[in-house]
Amino acid sequence: MIGFSLRSLWNRRFVAGLTVFAIALSAALIVGVEKLRDGARDSFVNSASGIDLVVAPRGNPVQILMAAVFGIGGTGTAMSWESFEWLENMPGVAWAVPIQMGDNHRGYPVIGTDVTYFEHVRHSGGQPLQLASGTLFIEGQADGAVLGAEVAARFGHAPGTVIVNAHGSGDVSFHMHDDAPFTVTGVLAPSGTAIDRMVIVSLAGFDAIHAPHGTPDADPLDAAGLAVPPRNTRADHETHEEHREHTGHDHDEGSRAAAGTGEHAHPRGRDPDGHAHAPERLNAVYVGLADRTGVLGLQRAVNDRAAEPLSAVLPAVALTELWGITGTAERALQIMAWTVALASIIGMVVMLSATLESRRREFAILRSVGASPAHVVRLILTEAAVLTGAGLFLGIGIFILAARVAGPVLASRFGVQLDTRGFDARELAVLASLFGAGLAAALVPAIKVYRATLADGLSVRI
Amino acid sequence: MPMLRIEGLDHRWTGARQDTIRVGALALGAGENLFLHGPSGCGKSTLISAIAGVIDVAEGAVCVAGRDIGSLGSGARDRFRADHIGLVFQMFNLVPWLTGIENVILPCTFSRRRRRRAGNPEAVARRLLGDLGLDPDELGRKTAGDLSVGQQQRVAVARALIGTPDLILADEPTSALDADAKTAFLDVLMRDCKAANTALLFVSHDRGLEGHFDRSVDFRDLDRGGTR
């Protein structure tokens, strides 16, 4: 029966081919939407791996997670170094990594942190970050930068390349920090997460971008800063006070020269906590716990901190909230994809129905050699199964091809990796239901055939 | 045992005011042939449909190879037709996108009995086509749509003969052929039916063919009530 159906379809190969192609496109679209959704979610989930809590100035959890972990958008205000130290010394806290944000390198987010970042941040279910080439910046090295794999690949940066960052988080920036260049010390291996799209510099370096211009190299305060442990001095506190006005990234030259040099005074010194540089403003802190069961208690303690309004975000919870937001868009995409599928299945029904009139003779002939109406119906359903099945396979092929072509762009622009290696149960269910829909739709022409075949008998009266 | 026996067959199409056909009695033994003639529209095709089991008939009205067609369900009638009856029509006999040989072996795909009796369907199809004066290689290559009408009719006969059915029903199979072709066609049909001991019911309005047959009956003589 299948051979017979194939011969029959081959006889109408042009229209059948178009039908298969239409089904293939819709199948590719549906699979693509599913894979995009999975890819986007995986990208977020993998990026947030290993971080138990993200602490940032009080704000919306989703916004904090997006900004602090994925480099999308920003947090509102900034939090103080004191809060970081407080957090670091909380019972149960295994590690805390400070994060500064707000700059970009040709559209890619720049984050300021310290070398503990590379030690604690994990991706894709707990894998540590690996260097593909070069080294990490040395602790306290102000002009060192480690690049995510895609940033490096996109611009052809390698260790030794001097890069310039710009202010702001957008792609278009009018303010280039070309007076504070960085030297690439290392490039990370691809992780398939948002980290691939990041430029990671030291806190000292990040502050240096925002230091006032024209700082003399031989400023006497520089030496003083090196000599004096900055954190516990009254003078240091004053410079912090002064510099706070700076956080709006006001690069007014000259007037705050003293503050700037004060800031530059301690990048190469070590503060008592072992952090190379103590900026007075952070955007977020990644926190890891020794025992994860204490996470809710710590979250409450952070949220209740009287000294400064902070939010502690559980990545998993914020992600669930995020899916709630993106779910609407996902559903819209899914509905659109299924609508296209519906159109193509209707196309198949039209094709099968349109040929029925001219095939009534064929069916009468089959009847005369012993075919029952049920045989003829099976013929039609087999044709529909062949068309839909071929459409699905071609569609998967189209999707894989499209994913290969568009994959690099998607990965670099949006950090979304499309998985073309296999299909999970959900995607297989989607494909199966598409196949079922095709067969179900073919029942319409099949019933028409059944009636016509019964009525026509051995001779066709048209 | 007669291969075909009809007794008191009445049939009326849905919505018709009178019976379309009324046949009192008709019998045909194995290896016999019968020429049934009558004007167009007198119900000959309906009779063929009734014997072939495509339309519902009363129990006991039609027996083919000892089986009461009216007592079978529609599915069983389809299987019975595939197993026991070969059909040849005036036109549109063949599936146009299958080759000649594929058309010939078509009944063997629907009937296990015919396949078994044919043995090797493809070889039998080639032999039958050769007997009918056709080139089997050409018919293995060309699709039915590319054949001439004469070739198509002979392929249709080969298809009716394959797997030696008990009864062949032929409905105006010669009307598309010229006089010489008609004679050749009938000779082969008759000879092969005799060789396979197959009963042949040949229906036509063309009384010029009457001489080829053992027996000849006017359709209107079968008719007890009249269809017009």
Side-chain angles (χ1 to χ4, degrees):
Chain A
M1 212 60 181
I2 287 186
F4 200 81
S5 299
L6 287 177
R7 294 292 303 270
S8 174
L9 284 173
W10 181 249
N11 180 49
R12 289 166 283 139
R13 54 192 169 273
F14 180 69
V15 185
L18 283 182
T19 307
V20 166
F21 193 63
I23 294 172
L25 281 184
S26 56
L29 197 61
I30 287 176
V31 170
V33 167
E34 287 297 315
K35 287 288 191 188
L36 266 179
R37 172 183 176 281
D38 291 352
R41 290 193 172 191
D42 285 351
S43 162
F44 283 119
V45 171
N46 289 339
S47 300
S49 172
I51 302 169
D52 293 323
L53 214 52
V54 177
V55 177
R58 185 150 298 166
N60 177 292
V62 172
Q63 196 187 351
I64 288 171
L65 188 77
M66 295 291 281
V69 181
F70 311 122
I72 300 167
T75 53
T77 54
M79 63 187 275
S80 68
W81 185 257
E82 283 72 27
S83 289
F84 172 74
E85 290 183 323
W86 169 78
L87 202 54
E88 202 178 24
N89 294 316
M90 284 292 281
V93 171
W95 51 266
V97 174
I99 302 289
Q100 283 185 308
M101 296 172 300
D103 278 359
N104 76 84
H105 172 66
R106 302 204 212 170
Y108 288 93
V110 175
I111 65 165
T113 182
D114 63 23
V115 286
T116 57
Y117 178 91
F118 301 103
E119 204 178 303
H120 297 303
V121 170
R122 296 280 190 271
H123 72 88
S124 313
Q127 299 173 46
L129 294 171
Q130 302 277 353
L131 275 171
S133 61
T135 58
L136 302 179
F137 46 77
I138 304 151
E139 189 143 316
Q141 180 188 355
D143 67 346
V146 173
L147 304 186
E150 271 161 39
V151 185
R154 174 96 185 265
F155 303 117
H157 293 337
T161 309
V162 175
I163 61 170
V164 172
N165 297 332
H167 179 62
S169 55
D171 213 343
V172 178
S173 181
F174 301 104
H175 196 150
M176 300 298 288
H177 294 297
D178 44 9
D179 56 329
F182 289 90
T183 304
V184 177
T185 62
V187 175
L188 293 172
S191 65
T193 68
I195 298 162
D196 289 353
R197 308 176 54 241
M198 288 180 176
V199 173
I200 301 156
V201 302
S202 66
L203 293 173
F206 199 89
D207 274 352
I209 313 180
H210 300 108
H213 306 179
T215 306
D217 281 343
D219 193 294
L221 277 173
D222 199 50
L226 272 172
V228 181
R231 298 220 50 79
N232 303 324
T233 61
R234 173 81 186 129
D236 178 62
H237 191 66
E238 276 170 7
T239 53
H240 275 239
E241 286 299 314
E242 254 184 293
H243 198 83
R244 189 159 297 156
E245 297 167 36
H246 245 340
T247 49
H249 299 299
D250 172 8
H251 290 254
D252 185 10
E253 196 146 343
S255 67
R256 279 174 240 283
T261 49
E263 189 56 38
H264 261 292
H266 45 82
R268 285 159 191 88
R270 294 186 65 89
D271 70 10
D273 298 315
H275 287 279
H277 173 83
E280 85 283 9
R281 284 288 160 189
L282 293 174
N283 295 89
V285 179
Y286 296 169
V287 177
L289 297 181
D291 178 9
R292 297 191 68 180
T293 54
V295 73
L296 291 175
L298 181 63
Q299 184 187 30
R300 197 172 315 115
V302 171
N303 288 340
D304 292 348
R305 180 164 153 82
E308 192 172 15
L310 296 174
S311 288
V313 176
L314 286 160
V317 174
L319 282 175
T320 307
E321 205 173 312
L322 179 63
W323 304 156
I325 298 165
T326 58
T328 313
E330 284 169 6
R331 262 193 299 284
L333 274 177
Q334 280 170 336
I335 289 170
M336 201 184 71
W338 278 101
T339 309
V340 173
L342 181 70
S344 64
I345 285 172
I346 289 174
M348 181 183 76
V349 172
V350 167
M351 179 244 179
L352 288 175
S353 302
T355 51
L356 291 187
E357 222 27 60
S358 57
R359 294 176 73 195
R360 282 169 73 173
R361 285 184 206 291
E362 187 184 317
F363 299 143
I365 293 163
L366 291 177
R367 287 274 279 155
S368 77
V369 295
S372 62
H375 274 121
V376 178
V377 164
R378 237 190 294 164
L379 187 68
I380 295 291
L381 290 181
T382 308
E383 284 177 19
V386 167
L387 290 172
T388 317
L392 290 185
F393 277 104
L394 185 63
I396 290 168
I398 290 174
F399 162 73
I400 289 173
L401 197 69
R404 292 273 154 79
V405 173
V409 178
L410 276 175
S412 68
R413 302 287 294 184
F414 306 106
V416 173
Q417 306 271 342
L418 290 178
D419 173 25
T420 57
R421 284 161 302 178
F423 294 96
D424 62 21
R426 190 190 147 86
E427 287 150 358
L428 288 178
V430 164
L431 290 173
S433 57
L434 193 56
F435 186 74
L439 276 194
L443 284 175
V444 176
I447 288 167
K448 283 179 70 180
V449 162
Y450 186 83
R451 295 211 175 123
T453 308
L454 266 187
D456 288 346
L458 303 177
S459 55
V460 182
R461 284 171 294 274
I462 297 179
Chain B
M1 177 182 72
M3 280 301 141
L4 171 66
R5 199 186 73 235
I6 299 178
E7 269 176 24
L9 169 66
D10 297 345
H11 183 75
R12 185 187 295 205
W13 288 109
T14 322
R17 265 182 292 136
Q18 283 183 302
D19 286 346
T20 314
I21 51 166
R22 308 187 74 178
V23 177
L26 183 68
L28 199 57
E32 285 184 1
N33 60 58
L34 175 67
F35 182 70
L36 188 60
H37 58 88
S40 299
C42 67
K44 299 189 298 279
S45 294
T46 307
L47 178 64
I48 296 280
S49 290
I51 299 169
V54 178
I55 56 179
D56 293 328
V57 293
E59 279 191 37
V62 179
C63 281
V64 176
R67 187 69 75 90
D68 180 2
I69 298 292
S71 70
L72 298 173
S74 69
R77 292 203 305 255
D78 290 323
R79 281 192 295 279
F80 185 82
R81 175 171 66 254
D83 285 345
H84 297 276
I85 300 175
L87 283 147
V88 189
F89 297 107
Q90 180 180 356
M91 289 180 88
F92 313 121
N93 268 313
L94 308 179
V95 178
W97 40 266
L98 291 176
T99 66
I101 286 185
E102 284 167 334
N103 266 288
V104 174
I105 62 181
L106 213 45
C108 297
T109 64
F110 290 103
S111 165
R112 201 171 291 133
R113 180 179 192 260
R114 302 259 302 257
R115 188 163 59 239
R116 199 177 55 238
R117 286 166 73 113
N120 180 347
E122 168 123 22
V124 173
R126 286 176 163 272
R127 181 179 59 72
L128 284 169
L129 290 169
D131 287 351
L132 287 160
L134 296 170
D135 175 9
D137 292 329
E138 185 192 352
L139 291 176
R141 232 177 19 249
K142 279 190 178 175
T143 58
D146 293 334
L147 301 175
S148 72
V149 175
Q151 285 173 316
Q152 286 191 33
Q153 291 302 71
R154 279 179 282 178
V155 170
V157 166
R159 188 180 62 194
L161 287 167
I162 197 166
T164 56
D166 297 314
L167 175 65
I168 287 183
L169 304 173
D171 187 1
E172 305 268 13
T174 55
S175 55
L177 303 177
D178 59 47
D180 288 347
K182 271 180 197 174
T183 304
F185 176 84
L186 284 173
D187 285 346
V188 173
L189 178 62
M190 226 69 89
R191 190 191 69 208
D192 283 5
C193 283
K194 289 264 190 235
N197 206 27
T198 297
L200 170 66
L201 178 64
F202 192 103
V203 173
S204 178
H205 66 276
D206 183 359
R207 296 198 66 165
L209 307 170
E210 211 170 341
H212 293 273
F213 294 85
D214 299 342
R215 282 201 291 152
S216 170
V217 175
D218 190 318
F219 192 83
R220 285 160 292 190
D221 294 342
L222 297 173
D223 192 338
R224 290 183 307 186
T227 55
R228 292 163 301 277

